Amino acid sequence: MSNTFRLWIRPGDDGSVELQSLRYFVALSEELNFTRAAARCWVSQQAFSRAIAQLEQRLGVVLAVRRPRGCSLTPAGVRLAASARELLSRADGLHETVGAGGSALRLGFVLDGLGELTSVLIAACRAALPDVEVEVRRVQPQDVVTSLLSERVHVAFTHGPSAHPQLEVLHLFGEPRVAVVSRADPRSDAADLRTDDLLTLPAKRRRDDIDPAWEAFFTLTAERNGEEAERRGVPADSFEELLWSISADRLFLTVPAHVERSYPGAAYGVAYVPAPALAPVEFVAVHAPPPRHRAIGDVLDTAVRITAPLRTE
């Protein structure tokens, strides 16, 4: 690889500007540790390392050298880190200056969003913002951060662990969790399940790009004293595929209680069983600062108003 590089921005597959790899590298330059930088960027270490390797390949230079305890930047890496910070600062300034204008407002929802309140929220946002075109996008759990930073969506509604240094999080409400088990499993007829009843069940093998903290919450890693559930099969590409696998392979997962209404158990061969001992799921609205659209504040205010009956404060 050469010792010089030319910095450029390449359009991604969806037409968005590909700044995320630079954000990853800036995190690495500040943490000097792949594990900590990946956790900071809310991605698995494997996905993070792959992104850095692809960046090095595109630029034609070695940027970081792994050490027994962390890593160090090469001279090219030091130069790139400085250039990337400046570029990202200018990009954020551009969003602050003109990006909050009158373009379409894109709302993102993970899985079924806020359940039955999703359509209510969309309608309320359109009523509150008659001069703004409100668009709706579905977002995969592993894509929340990149979708917000690339402005594929301006606000995302998700659930479960959502802490991320590059996002602002607004907590909306909590909801009980239920266990999803196969209808062929004797546990499916129980009135409710104890945590110990679930710890013997295997879970679906996860994708590399799923946030480990998010996955651990729903497969009860903490309840196993930090040990992961036994994993089976190949990763699912959709929630529907995950439910079919739970049915066929007698796996398990925990989900927010309203999912039973969005994905009826009879259609997928699963049963939803209450698990009252489990901590509830937190539903949140997240966006990237500074606000990337002038109407984000109105959306957040509307979300707080719509979800008020579900809060138990």
Side-chain angles (χ1 to χ4, degrees):
M1 291 187 177
S2 67
N3 292 322
T4 61
F5 62 84
R6 180 170 61 90
L7 189 60
W8 81 103
I9 303 174
R10 183 179 70 84
D13 294 338
D14 61 354
S16 62
V17 175
E18 189 178 342
L19 294 176
Q20 188 58 44
S21 59
L22 295 181
R23 296 187 188 276
Y24 285 177
F25 184 70
V26 167
L28 181 63
S29 73
E30 294 173 352
E31 298 290 344
L32 295 178
N33 182 287
F34 276 78
T35 300
R36 291 198 301 267
R40 170 173 158 178
C41 293
W42 219 36
V43 294
S44 70
Q45 185 173 345
Q46 183 176 355
F48 183 88
S49 296
R50 184 166 57 246
I52 298 299
Q54 290 172 347
L55 180 61
E56 290 180 319
Q57 183 177 12
R58 289 170 184 167
L59 295 176
V61 339
V62 175
L63 299 172
V65 178
R66 291 182 184 266
R67 306 293 184 191
R69 296 181 181 275
C71 70
S72 62
L73 301 185
T74 65
V78 172
R79 296 195 301 273
L80 176 62
S83 298
R85 288 190 188 94
E86 181 180 357
L87 177 62
L88 293 172
S89 177
R90 289 179 178 178
D92 290 341
L94 177 65
H95 290 308
E96 187 172 7
T97 303
V98 298
S103 59
L105 172 70
R106 294 179 288 277
L107 306 181
F109 296 91
V110 171
L111 297 180
D112 60 344
L114 304 181
E116 294 92 336
L117 287 181
T118 298
S119 59
V120 176
L121 175 64
I122 295 168
C125 287
R126 286 179 170 166
L129 300 165
D131 61 331
V132 176
E133 181 182 1
V134 178
E135 299 179 353
V136 178
R137 299 281 186 271
R138 189 176 187 187
V139 180
Q140 295 298 328
Q142 66 272 16
D143 295 333
V144 170
V145 176
T146 54
S147 292
L148 289 167
L149 294 179
S150 68
E151 291 193 69
R152 178 175 178 264
V153 300
H154 295 106
V155 183
F157 294 88
T158 184
H159 58 275
S162 303
H164 186 275
Q166 291 177 277
L167 301 181
E168 291 190 359
V169 180
L170 174 65
H171 295 269
L172 296 174
F173 63 92
E175 184 175 304
R177 257 188 296 176
V178 298
V180 190
V181 297
S182 171
R183 282 181 174 265
D185 191 306
R187 299 172 180 83
S188 65
D189 293 328
D192 58 56
L193 290 173
R194 301 174 305 161
T195 303
D196 287 346
D197 295 327
L198 301 171
L199 299 185
T200 59
L201 286 170
K204 185 72 170 173
R205 192 177 304 280
R206 75 177 178 207
R207 295 165 53 114
D208 290 338
D209 51 0
I210 287 287
D211 173 33
W214 200 85
E215 176 78 2
F217 179 80
F218 290 105
T219 58
L220 309 185
T221 296
E223 287 78 2
R224 292 186 174 81
N225 297 317
E227 295 184 4
E228 286 195 359
E230 175 192 348
R231 303 283 178 166
R232 291 185 183 171
V234 298
D237 288 328
S238 68
F239 191 69
E240 292 84 351
E241 183 178 318
L242 178 57
L243 293 178
W244 288 321
S245 296
I246 289 173
S247 173
D249 301 326
R250 296 200 181 188
L251 309 178
F252 96 105
L253 187 69
T254 67
V255 298
H258 81 266
V259 170
E260 180 175 8
R261 299 188 293 276
S262 300
Y263 301 87
Y268 298 96
V270 300
Y272 297 88
V273 185
L278 297 179
V281 183
E282 192 73 22
F283 281 76
V284 298
V286 292
H287 69 93
R292 308 297 175 92
H293 195 285
R294 64 179 174 85
I296 285 179
D298 296 300
V299 170
L300 299 180
D301 289 343
T302 301
V304 169
R305 175 172 56 84
I306 292 298
T307 60
L310 300 181
R311 288 192 288 279
T312 57
E313 302 168 347

